[in-house]
Amino acid sequence: MALKPTEPSCWDIELFLSQNKKMFDHRYANVGKRVMLHKQIEVVPPSVSLENEDVINWDKVLPCLEKIIRTAYKSEDKITDISYKELLERIVHHYHHESTIEHVAVFTFRIVCDRGISHELVRHRIASFTQESTRYVNYGKKGGKVVFPVHLLQAPKEEIEYWYRGCQQEFLLYHNALEELKWTPQQARGFLPHFAKTEVIMTMNFRSLRNLFKLRKNKAAHPDMQIIANEILMVVKEKIDIIFKDIK
């Protein structure tokens, strides 16, 4: 199954995983005195969902933004039911006065990605982040999960199995540190693979999102980060298309 490098989509990964479930059905066996994981490592796709879907009245966001912007010109008397469209077109896409779009609604996303991609994500400003903590979450009890990387979609089965078994071995070291050495999750977390699944809650305003798209939809961005950026763009365009309509 081929995936165009310029059009990564986590839906392609979901389809791929659903069609290849048996590939990841490798279980540990007890060997000597080593404590082995009793369950397979679950493989999951990256994903993005809108966390504050029902919190914000999206129909009022742009009219509110128009009123704020017109304060600079004292042109509130020109406001109509649809005047915000022409104003935002000029301000955002013609004059590029993006500081004005920092004022109103923010998007809060729940992002599922691997630990490596999360390290890139949390570098973005201005934004607020809350992340699944490897200090407190015990994956020996919760079970291990890894996020399938996009570069393996076109890989042969042997290469995918090599990746999967490598992830298993790293989780095994983590699990043994917990069970045999009696380490705490925060002490054992260094054994977790970069492919380990994490959840990040990310809140951003419109301007910060435009900057994220500029950097992370770029061809130079990590392919797995491009997937996240594309999924975020799909979500925001569904709610506030006019602010992001120039981003493809």
Side-chain angles (χ1 to χ4, degrees), residues 137-148:
V137 178
N138 186 325
Y139 297 104
K141 296 179 179 179
K142 297 285 186 180
K145 294 182 180 181
V146 290
V147 176
F148 192 80

Side-chain angles (χ1 to χ4, degrees), residues 31-96:
V31 179
K33 295 182 179 180
R34 288 187 298 170
V35 177
M36 299 299 228
L37 294 176
H38 300 298
K39 296 181 179 180
Q40 68 188 73
I41 304 301
E42 184 179 352
V43 182
V44 299
S47 65
V48 174
S49 58
L50 188 59
E51 196 72 6
N52 61 340
E53 172 88 37
D54 302 321
V55 177
I56 295 175
N57 187 331
W58 299 100
D59 292 333
K60 293 185 177 181
V61 169
L62 297 182
C64 177
L65 183 56
E66 176 188 17
K67 185 177 180 181
I68 292 170
I69 293 173
R70 287 191 182 279
T71 300
Y73 310 99
K74 298 312 297 176
S75 60
E76 292 92 338
D77 58 314
K78 295 184 178 181
I79 293 177
T80 68
D81 290 342
I82 60 172
S83 57
Y84 68 86
K85 296 180 181 179
E86 187 273 334
L87 178 68
L88 291 174
E89 180 71 33
R90 285 190 290 112
I91 294 296
V92 178
H93 303 298
H94 182 68
Y95 296 122
H96 306 291

Side-chain angles (χ1 to χ4, degrees), residues 10-236:
C10 70
W11 303 118
D12 293 322
I13 296 178
E14 287 195 48
L15 177 61
F16 179 90
L17 294 179
S18 68
Q19 293 174 340
N20 293 275
K21 281 185 177 181
K22 291 184 179 180
M23 189 184 302
F24 306 109
D25 194 22
H26 304 299
R27 300 178 185 275
Y28 286 118
N30 289 321
V31 179
K33 295 182 179 180
R34 288 187 298 170
V35 177
M36 299 299 228
L37 294 176
H38 300 298
K39 296 181 179 180
Q40 68 188 73
I41 304 301
E42 184 179 352
V43 182
V44 299
S47 65
V48 174
S49 58
L50 188 59
E51 196 72 6
N52 61 340
E53 172 88 37
D54 302 321
V55 177
I56 295 175
N57 187 331
W58 299 100
D59 292 333
K60 293 185 177 181
V61 169
L62 297 182
C64 177
L65 183 56
E66 176 188 17
K67 185 177 180 181
I68 292 170
I69 293 173
R70 287 191 182 279
T71 300
Y73 310 99
K74 298 312 297 176
S75 60
E76 292 92 338
D77 58 314
K78 295 184 178 181
I79 293 177
T80 68
D81 290 342
I82 60 172
S83 57
Y84 68 86
K85 296 180 181 179
E86 187 273 334
L87 178 68
L88 291 174
E89 180 71 33
R90 285 190 290 112
I91 294 296
V92 178
H93 303 298
H94 182 68
Y95 296 122
H96 306 291
H97 290 171
E98 294 192 354
S99 64
T100 59
I101 60 176
E102 295 177 5
H103 285 292
V104 295
V106 293
F107 285 94
T108 297
F109 307 94
R110 182 177 296 272
I111 300 169
V112 174
C113 60
D114 67 41
R115 298 293 306 186
I117 292 301
S118 75
H119 298 162
E120 299 183 19
L121 194 63
V122 298
R123 293 169 59 194
H124 280 272
R125 302 293 184 270
I126 300 170
S128 298
F129 298 96
T130 298
Q131 184 170 0
E132 179 180 332
S133 175
T134 55
R135 290 190 63 201
Y136 304 117
V137 178
N138 186 325
Y139 297 104
K141 296 179 179 179
K142 297 285 186 180
K145 294 182 180 181
V146 290
V147 176
F148 192 80
V150 65
H151 75 272
L152 289 181
L153 279 176
Q154 302 178 60
K157 180 179 179 180
E158 295 74 19
E159 186 175 336
I160 297 173
E161 290 184 340
Y162 176 85
W163 164 80
Y164 183 67
R165 289 182 181 275
C167 292
Q168 282 184 314
Q169 289 300 315
E170 291 184 279
F171 268 107
L172 176 60
L173 292 171
Y174 171 85
H175 186 83
N176 286 347
L178 295 177
E179 296 297 320
E180 293 187 349
L181 303 178
K182 306 305 179 184
W183 287 11
T184 63
Q186 70 176 359
Q187 292 169 330
R189 69 178 182 177
F191 290 121
L192 293 171
H194 261 42
F195 290 111
K197 166 262 180 189
T198 188
E199 291 184 26
V200 181
I201 303 298
M202 181 183 77
T203 299
M204 275 189 175
N205 64 38
F206 297 166
R207 188 183 192 182
S208 294
L209 280 168
R210 288 182 60 83
N211 176 255
L212 181 145
F213 296 139
K214 177 182 178 181
L215 296 174
R216 302 306 185 179
K217 284 181 59 61
N218 190 289
K219 291 181 180 179
H222 192 293
D224 293 327
M225 179 58 85
Q226 290 183 52
I227 289 178
I228 297 299
N230 280 338
E231 291 300 313
I232 293 174
L233 182 61
M234 289 174 58
V235 171
V236 300

